[in-house]
Amino acid sequence: MSGRARLTLFAALATLMTSWSLASLVESAGWLLQAGLLLAVQSGVGAAARRVPLARWLTVACQMLVSALVLIFLFAGKGESTGTGPVAYLVTDVGALFLRGLQDVAEFSIPAPLTDGIRLLLLAGVLLVGLLVDLLAVTLRSAAAAGLPLLALYSVAAGLSGGLGGGGAWFSFVLAGGGYLLLLLAEGRDRLAQWGRVFGGAPPGRVSAASGYGSGEGSGQAVSPVRTGRRIGAVALGLALAVPAVLPPLGGGMLARQGEAEGGGSGVGGTISAVNPLVSLQGSLNAQDNRVVLKYRTDSPQLGEQYLRILALDEFNGVKWEASARALEDVPERLPAPPGLSAQVRRNAVEVRTNLSAADTYAQRYLPMPYPATSVDIPGKWRFEPVGRTLVGDQLGKDRFQNVQGAGYKVTSLLLRPTAAQLQAAPEPDRAIRDEYTKLPDTLPPVVAETARQVTKGAKDDYTRAVKLQDFFAVNGGFRYDTKVASGTGPTAIARFLQDKEGFCVHFAFSMAAMSRSLGIPARVAVGFTPGERQPDGSVNVTMRDAHAWPELYFEGIGWTRFEPTPRQGISLPDYSRTDRPAAQPSAPSPVPSQSAAQPSAEPSKADTCPPELRRLGECGGAAPQQSAGGKGGGPSVTAVLGWTGSVLALLALPLLPMLWRSRVRARRLAADGVLSAWEELGDAAWDVGIAPDGALSPRRAASRLVELGRLEPEAAEAVHRVAGAVERALYAPPGQDPYRPAADVLLARTALLAGPGRFGRLRALLLPRSAVRLRWAAAARREAWAAAVRGRLAALAARVPRPRLPRLPLRDRS
C-alpha cells in the first residue's frame, strides 16, 4: 500500500473512531455502520481523484458531490414533502427531512430515538468532518491540523451528552485519541519514507553523545523515531486519562451535570424530580412541522372536553413552575378515586373509554391521558404518582427510561359535569391542600395580588373569583394571544405580562394560577394537549401545535377543575365556567367589517349558533375550513424549488465543464471547414487520449507518429494522412481552390483514437480531457497581456508628467 493510500485509510478510520463519541446521544448505534460505509465511499472518491490526478479543489468538489448524492438517494422519500416530481422527491424531500431532524434534536432528550431526521444529521455531520480531515491530512498533507475537526466533533458530542458521563467516557476518548495518533503515525511514516531508506540503528562507534540517538557512551544503539513516537503518544494518552481522575471535581454552575444543576435525584429511590416540559412548548406551538404525535378514538359525548393531560406543575419557587418530587408506586389495576370528588358529582359523571396510540417520534416519559383517569392498560414498565395522578416511565437501564414512543394503550376516565351552583356552594378546602397549593414566593411583585383583588372585587365566593379571573384574561381584559413573545416564567415575567397583555398559554396559565393563589384559592398548572382534530374516519389526531397549558383550581367536592384563560382560537371555555352573557368574545379587538360585507340574515343559521370549538371538532354537521398561514399552501414555494433545482444542476454540471468546453471547441473548429483548425482539433483529440503534441515535427511526420502511437486501423490512418496532406498544401502550395473538407476525416480519426485505450482511459479523455490545459494557458496569456497593457498605460502616464526643472546654480567667479 502506498503512503498516500495508507494516509487516506487512516484519515477515514480516525473520523469513524471519533464518531463513536456520538453514539451516546441516540438510543441505537446502528447508524455507525452506515457512517463507515459512506466514509469509505467519500475516501475512495478522493483517492481516485488524486490518482488521476485532479486539482485540489476539484478533488474536494467531487467528494462533496458524491457524498451529497449518496445522502440524497439514501434518504429520498422519507421527508414527506408536499412537492411532486423528481426534484421534490430527491431534493426538497431531503431538505424537509433535515429541518425535521433539527426539530427532533430540539424536542427529544438524550438518548434520543434514532429518527430519520436525526440519522441524516449524524451522517451529514460525520461526512463533513471526514471531508475536512481528508482535505487537511491527505490533500494538503497536514495531519496535525486535521485534529481540529476531530476535536470539534468530540467536543460537540461531549458537550451534548454532559461530558460523556458513564463508563463509556474513557472508551470514547481512547478511540478518538487513538485514531488521531494513528493518523499522525501514518503521516510521519509517509514523510520519513520520502527521505529515502527508513533509518534505524547506527553502526557502533559512529554515534556521538551529542547526537541524541545513542543510549549511552559507546553503546552505539540508536532509538527508532517511530518507536519513540509511539512511546510519547502512549505516555500522553495515559496522562490525559489519569490526570482528570485525580483532580477535584468542579461542581455548580455550567460545569455541573444537568441533573445536579436542576436539583434532580437519580430516580432510583422511588421519587422523581420532573423536568419542566414547558421548555419546548413555545417551540411546539411555533413549529412549521405540525406532525401528529397522538391518535385516539373515544366514546366521549363531549369531545371538546377531551384534554390529554401529561402532568401538573404544583410548585412555584419564584423562578419557575415545576412538579414537586413525590414518591412513586406501582400502577394499580384500578386507580384511586380523585381527591376531593364527592359522591353526588361522581354520580353525574360519565365513564369514557379512549384508545390511544403514540407516534414513533414522540418519546414523552409522562403518559398523556384524560383527567381524571380511573384505569390504564399499557405495556412496559410504568410507575404511578398518586398526587398528580400521572404515569411515569420507569428506569430500564443506565440512562434509559420507559417512554410512550410507539405505544398503544387504553384509558378509562371520568367526564365530570359539575354545575356552577355546586362550585359556588363548595365548602372550604382541606387545610393541608390550602396550605400546600396557595404558597407564593416572597419575590412575587405586589402588582399580581393587587390586580387579582381589583378584578375579583365584589365576588363573595372562590368560584365567582375564579370565573372573573378567567374572563379577565379570555374575554374582557384586552389580552392578545401571541406565541412569538419571549416565554419567561419568573415573577417579573408575570408582572410584565400583566402590563404588556400579550403572550401564549404559558403566560395565561401561570398568571391565573399565581393570582388564584394570592386570593387563597388552591391552584396549579396542568400541561398536555387540547382535544385535537377529528378525522373523517372518526379518529382524532393530536399534533405538536395542540400542546397547551391551563390552570387547575381545587374545589372541595369536585376536586381539581380546569379553567381556560387563554384566548386562543379553537379553545372553549368549560360549561361550568360560562357566565350568563350571550357569548364569549375574543379579548383582542376585532377588525371593523367593511361596508361591502354581506348583511346577516334575520334568522341565524345552525352554523352561526354552533360554538367555534365544536365546529372545529366536527360537531356541527361539517368541519370549519382551516385557515392557512398567510393564505399560502404548505408546500415549498416556487422560488425554493427553483433555487434547489439550480443548485443541484450546478453541482451536477461542475464535473462536466471540461467535457462541455471540448465539445464546444470541437464544434466551432469543424464548422469553420478550415484545414488548419481541423488539424489543431485532430492534435487535441490525440492529446486527450495521452498522445502529447510535438510542435517540432512536420505535418507528415506528426501524422505518422499519431498513427503509430494510436495504433490506428488502415481506414483511420488514411484519414489522418489526408488531413496532414491538406495541411501541407495549405502551408506550402500556391493559393487556390481546395474542395477538401476535413471534418469527416477528423471525426473518424477521433473515434478510432477513443477506441484504443480502456474504459477508464476513454472516460478520462471524455470527462477530463488533457487539452483543457489550454484554458489555463489562455488565462495566463490574457493575464500577461492585461498586465503588459497596464504597465504600458502607466508608462505612458508617467511620460506625460512634466519633469521638474532644477534651477541652475551660478558658477563661482574664477577670475
Side-chain angles (χ1 to χ4, degrees):
M1 181 183 295
S2 65
R4 175 162 289 188
R6 185 184 300 108
L7 198 58
T8 303
L9 174 63
F10 279 101
L13 185 61
T15 305
L16 185 61
M17 293 172 69
T18 308
S19 302
W20 176 265
S21 58
L22 297 172
S24 61
L25 303 181
V26 292
E27 295 178 348
S28 173
W31 64 274
L32 283 171
L33 179 59
Q34 286 184 327
L37 295 176
L38 294 179
L39 282 173
V41 172
Q42 181 176 265
S43 300
V45 171
R50 284 184 289 266
R51 189 174 180 84
V52 168
L54 291 181
R56 291 176 176 178
W57 68 272
L58 277 179
T59 300
V60 178
C62 290
Q63 289 178 289
M64 291 181 60
L65 176 62
V66 172
S67 301
L69 290 178
V70 171
L71 283 178
I72 286 174
F73 283 102
L74 185 62
F75 288 95
K78 297 182 179 180
E80 299 179 1
S81 67
T82 56
T84 58
V87 174
Y89 184 79
L90 296 177
V91 180
T92 58
D93 193 63
V94 177
L97 184 62
F98 188 86
L99 295 178
R100 198 176 79 184
L102 294 177
Q103 295 172 1
D104 289 342
V105 170
E107 175 183 348
F108 296 125
S109 59
I110 297 174
L114 189 59
T115 62
D116 290 332
I118 293 180
R119 186 192 298 269
L120 174 59
L121 293 181
L122 290 172
L123 294 179
V126 170
L127 284 179
L128 178 60
V129 172
L131 180 63
L132 293 176
V133 172
D134 187 87
L135 170 64
L136 294 172
V138 187
T139 303
L140 301 180
R141 306 304 292 267
S142 180
L148 294 176
L150 294 176
L151 177 62
L153 178 61
Y154 179 82
S155 300
V156 168
L160 290 177
S161 59
L164 289 172
W170 66 271
F171 184 67
S172 298
F173 179 77
V174 167
L175 277 181
Y180 182 52
L181 290 178
L182 288 175
L183 179 60
L184 292 178
L185 182 62
E187 191 211 25
R189 186 172 180 179
D190 184 46
R191 288 181 182 272
L192 202 59
Q194 294 177 4
W195 297 349
R197 183 175 59 88
V198 178
F199 57 88
R206 300 290 298 275
V207 179
S208 64
S211 65
Y213 290 102
S215 59
E217 183 179 357
S219 66
Q221 185 68 30
V223 180
S224 172
V226 175
R227 188 179 304 170
T228 303
R230 291 173 180 170
R231 291 174 180 174
I232 293 175
V235 171
L237 190 60
L239 289 176
L241 289 173
V243 171
V246 300
L247 288 177
L250 299 175
M254 295 180 64
L255 297 178
R257 292 188 181 181
Q258 187 175 4
E260 298 168 352
E262 295 269 328
S266 62
V268 179
T271 62
I272 177 173
S273 296
V275 179
N276 195 335
L278 296 171
V279 173
S280 61
L281 181 55
Q282 186 178 16
S284 301
L285 295 173
N286 289 323
Q288 298 295 326
D289 182 9
N290 192 23
R291 74 186 67 179
V292 175
V293 294
L294 291 167
K295 288 178 175 287
Y296 68 88
R297 292 180 180 272
T298 182
D299 59 0
S300 173
Q302 288 182 270
L303 190 58
E305 298 295 329
Q306 191 78 357
Y307 278 59
L308 299 179
R309 185 173 173 275
I310 297 177
L311 80 162
L313 311 178
D314 53 8
E315 185 175 323
F316 184 34
N317 58 14
V319 178
K320 60 183 178 180
W321 286 81
E322 58 187 1
S324 303
R326 302 184 186 275
L328 301 177
E329 59 186 41
D330 293 335
V331 181
E333 183 177 352
R334 186 77 179 178
L335 302 185
L341 182 63
S342 65
Q344 181 181 4
V345 177
R346 175 67 177 85
R347 282 194 299 269
N348 294 331
V350 177
E351 191 171 66
V352 176
R353 294 174 178 81
T354 307
N355 295 333
L356 302 100
S357 62
D360 292 335
T361 57
Y362 184 59
Q364 174 61 251
R365 188 182 167 194
Y366 302 91
L367 189 67
M369 55 186 181
Y371 181 87
T374 56
S375 66
V376 182
D377 181 12
I378 183 172
K381 295 181 63 177
W382 295 86
R383 304 296 299 276
F384 178 62
E385 195 275 286
V387 177
R389 298 184 68 83
T390 58
L391 261 65
V392 187
D394 201 1
Q395 190 166 8
L396 301 177
K398 185 174 181 59
D399 300 329
R400 292 181 60 247
F401 294 90
Q402 179 71 56
N403 59 51
V404 73
Q405 182 180 11
Y409 56 102
K410 301 178 181 179
V411 178
T412 303
S413 59
L414 295 177
L415 175 61
L416 302 179
R417 295 177 172 178
T419 62
Q422 290 173 332
L423 290 166
Q424 193 169 12
E428 291 289 326
D430 184 80
R431 183 178 182 84
I433 292 179
R434 177 184 290 274
D435 291 344
E436 180 177 1
Y437 294 100
T438 57
K439 291 180 182 178
L440 286 173
D442 296 334
T443 56
L444 189 69
V447 66
V448 178
E450 293 174 2
T451 305
R453 287 193 296 269
Q454 293 176 3
V455 170
T456 60
K457 186 177 181 179
K460 300 184 181 301
D461 54 82
D462 288 347
Y463 164 74
T464 306
R465 297 187 184 96
V467 171
K468 285 193 172 186
L469 285 178
Q470 174 184 267
D471 292 347
F472 170 67
F473 290 110
V475 179
N476 51 34
F479 286 85
R480 186 173 66 89
Y481 182 80
D482 186 4
T483 60
K484 304 298 183 182
V485 177
S487 57
T489 59
T492 57
I494 297 178
R496 185 171 60 252
F497 168 66
L498 293 176
Q499 178 181 356
D500 299 340
K501 294 190 175 183
E502 58 180 6
F504 60 104
C505 56
V506 168
H507 300 91
F508 290 97
F510 285 0
S511 300
M512 181 173 175
M515 294 171 72
S516 298
R517 287 192 174 191
S518 70
L519 298 173
I521 307 174
R524 64 188 185 186
V525 176
V527 181
F529 295 97
T530 54
E533 188 77 19
R534 184 189 291 275
Q535 304 302 304
D537 61 353
S539 64
V540 182
N541 287 352
V542 178
T543 67
M544 291 300 296
R545 293 183 187 172
D546 292 317
H548 190 48
W550 61 91
E552 290 182 340
L553 276 56
Y554 183 85
F555 293 90
E556 192 66 36
I558 295 92
W560 290 103
T561 308
R562 177 179 70 90
F563 283 81
E564 193 53 82
T566 304
R568 173 178 161 189
Q569 183 180 7
I571 293 181
S572 62
L573 300 180
D575 292 338
Y576 49 79
S577 68
R578 294 180 184 272
T579 59
D580 294 335
R581 288 185 295 273
Q585 300 297 326
S587 60
S590 302
V592 179
S594 63
Q595 298 297 327
S596 61
Q599 297 296 327
S601 60
E603 183 177 350
S605 64
K606 181 180 179 180
D608 294 333
T609 61
C610 182
E613 63 274 5
L614 296 182
R615 187 183 303 115
R616 176 175 178 266
L617 295 172
E619 299 288 343
C620 303
Q626 300 295 320
Q627 295 180 355
S628 60
K632 296 181 180 180
S637 63
V638 177
T639 305
V641 172
L642 293 178
W644 277 103
T645 304
S647 301
V648 172
L649 292 178
L651 285 175
L652 293 177
L654 187 62
L656 303 179
L657 289 179
M659 183 181 68
L660 297 176
W661 173 80
R662 278 292 289 124
S663 300
R664 182 172 176 271
V665 170
R666 183 184 310 111
R668 187 177 67 249
R669 287 172 175 173
L670 298 181
D673 278 339
V675 175
L676 297 181
S677 60
W679 177 252
E680 187 178 9
E681 172 58 32
L682 183 58
D684 283 354
W687 192 4
D688 291 341
V689 297
I691 304 176
D694 189 351
L697 299 179
S698 64
R700 188 171 302 181
R701 291 288 304 277
S704 301
R705 175 175 175 268
L706 192 154
V707 171
E708 179 182 358
L709 296 180
R711 299 176 183 178
L712 300 184
E713 297 293 334
E715 184 179 0
E718 292 176 1
V720 172
H721 284 295
R722 281 196 297 270
V723 177
V727 171
E728 289 182 341
R729 290 194 300 271
L731 292 176
Y732 308 117
Q737 186 68 24
D738 189 357
Y740 176 66
R741 296 292 182 266
D745 286 340
V746 171
L747 293 177
L748 176 62
R750 178 177 178 272
T751 303
L753 288 171
L754 289 175
R759 180 180 301 175
F760 179 78
R762 191 158 47 248
L763 290 176
R764 169 74 165 80
L766 293 174
L767 298 178
L768 299 171
R770 293 174 175 84
S771 60
V773 73
R774 294 187 185 275
L775 286 174
R776 189 173 64 184
W777 293 350
R782 284 194 297 269
R783 186 168 57 250
E784 182 62 29
W786 178 83
V790 171
R791 288 194 298 267
R793 184 68 173 173
L794 292 177
L797 291 176
R800 294 180 182 178
V801 176
R803 296 182 180 180
R805 301 183 62 181
L806 299 177
R808 299 182 61 182
L809 297 178
L811 298 175
R812 299 176 64 181
D813 190 6
R814 299 182 180 181
S815 58

